[in-house]
Amino acid sequence: MSPIHISIVGVGKIVRDQHLPAIARNADYKLIAAASRHGVVDGIDNFKSIEAMLEAVPAIDAVSLCMPPQFRYAAARTALEAGKHVFLEKPPGATLSEVADLEALAASKGLSLFASWHSRYAPAVEAAKTFLASTKINDVKVIWKEDVRHWHPNQDWIWAAGGLGVFDPGINALSIVTHILPNPLFITSATLEFPENRDAPIAASIVFSDARNLPVSAEFDWRQTGHQSWDIVAETDAGLMVLSEGGAKLSIDGKLVHDEPEQEYPALYARFAEIIKAKTSDVDLSPLRHVADAFMLGRRKFVDAFFD
């Protein structure tokens, strides 16, 4: 089978750090074009807009969309209307409704749409899911705290309406939790902390449950300095499970049982190629649904102004 001719839209840090190396190492793909208002990729044709790119390079089979979520719907619809398969960086869109519309459009055209959740592909996530399926879970705590100044310097879009704020990293935790727990969760209460000068939250405290009344809580915070915390801790009948470092390591009762090198984005692109070949889509909206529920149900608390 000939390689999938893929293009990238939105050439920023995540593309250079993750997408380009993952595509380069996968024989299923050949990168042939990119579109970005500011960035370029050496060695291929570059354009300022997705429209110009699609018009000039009809050989494109698939488009990977890596711009901020507020702008992703229009680009995704343009690509699907042009007959291209679409990879959506997380979160897949600014709203649930627009992603549902894209899913319907892709299905009507026989195209593949992939709502990618890279943290689900962290090396210890499947091992954690298997462990939790084998025992009774009594309590789950999610601690996702990092320094926004380090990870998102001068990125104003994340603070704008639709940029998600602290849910930009927090949705990574939600993507793991919704994958490893045996039953669907729902939010029972939430508090969202908004800086006085921002339209998106800098911190969130959330309480969840499921149909069996499992207590689950999450703490997201973008003001963490020093050690960064990306942990999911579960009290179970088989011991204390700690899924740490964003899903990279798994410990049971203090014993490290799973620790492998990170391969999240290579796994994402392998999955995208798989669904293209199978002529299907993979669009799980449960992590984004929880974010929407938190905004719907959450109590707003205003805190001091924040300057990046």
Side-chain angles (χ1 to χ4, degrees):
M1 181 178 176
S2 59
I4 298 163
H5 289 171
I6 195 167
S7 60
I8 290 276
V9 181
V11 180
K13 187 176 187 302
I14 190 66
V15 164
R16 299 192 186 283
D17 291 350
Q18 299 289 354
H19 290 261
L20 295 180
I23 291 170
R25 293 197 297 266
N26 191 321
D28 282 326
Y29 296 100
K30 181 178 180 181
L31 182 66
I32 63 171
S36 183
R37 288 183 299 171
H38 306 295
V40 298
V41 179
D42 294 338
I44 59 173
D45 292 330
N46 289 270
F47 302 87
K48 291 296 184 182
S49 71
I50 185 173
E51 292 83 2
M53 180 184 72
L54 294 175
E55 181 178 0
V57 192
I60 291 170
D61 300 312
V63 179
S64 185
L65 299 179
C66 306
M67 73 282 283
Q70 300 99 313
F71 311 108
R72 203 166 291 147
Y73 171 79
R77 190 165 188 95
T78 296
L80 291 169
E81 292 283 11
K84 315 303 181 185
H85 306 291
V86 173
F87 178 117
L88 301 169
E89 225 326 347
K90 68 86 186 171
T95 70
L96 293 163
S97 297
E98 64 185 27
V99 183
D101 184 63
L102 295 174
E103 185 176 15
L105 178 60
S108 73
K109 291 183 169 293
L111 296 167
S112 296
L113 183 69
F114 184 31
S116 69
W117 301 108
H118 66 83
S119 290
R120 284 185 176 175
Y121 293 84
V125 168
E126 289 301 323
K129 181 176 182 177
T130 299
F131 171 77
L132 292 176
S134 70
T135 185
K136 181 178 181 293
I137 309 167
N138 301 310
D139 178 83
V140 179
K141 290 182 173 61
V142 181
I143 306 98
W144 224 258
K145 299 181 178 183
E146 62 182 50
D147 185 353
V148 67
R149 297 177 182 87
H150 175 76
W151 298 102
H152 296 279
N154 304 312
Q155 294 184 15
D156 290 336
W157 66 266
I158 57 174
W159 295 109
L164 299 190
V166 74
F167 285 102
D168 179 75
I171 205 169
N172 293 332
L174 295 174
S175 72
I176 296 174
V177 170
T178 54
H179 183 66
I180 65 175
L181 292 183
N183 298 308
L185 295 175
F186 51 87
I187 292 177
T188 59
S189 66
T191 299
L192 311 183
E193 297 187 24
F194 284 76
E196 294 174 345
N197 61 333
R198 302 293 188 182
D199 292 325
I202 197 170
S205 300
I206 309 171
V207 178
F208 304 83
S209 189
D210 66 5
R212 298 184 178 182
N213 297 316
L214 174 68
V216 179
S217 62
E219 294 290 333
F220 303 150
D221 203 319
W222 248 352
R223 299 165 295 195
Q224 182 92 327
T225 57
H227 178 71
Q228 310 285 278
S229 303
W230 303 294
D231 303 324
I232 298 171
V233 181
E235 292 274 3
T236 79
D237 283 0
L240 180 69
M241 185 205 82
V242 179
L243 183 61
S244 60
E245 297 186 19
K249 296 182 179 181
L250 179 67
S251 298
I252 308 296
D253 280 341
K255 180 181 179 182
L256 184 65
V257 297
H258 199 100
D259 181 13
E260 295 180 4
E262 184 270 315
Q263 289 289 320
E264 293 178 16
Y265 278 83
L268 284 179
Y269 277 96
R271 176 60 177 159
F272 189 37
E274 180 180 68
I275 66 172
I276 289 173
K277 294 172 185 177
K279 299 181 179 179
T280 188
S281 289
D282 184 347
V283 186
D284 177 13
L285 293 181
S286 55
L288 186 59
R289 188 177 298 115
H290 283 305
V291 174
D293 287 350
F295 276 94
M296 181 180 291
L297 190 63
R299 180 179 68 90
R300 289 195 173 207
K301 177 181 178 182
F302 291 97
V303 296
D304 291 343
F306 179 82
F307 298 95
D308 194 358

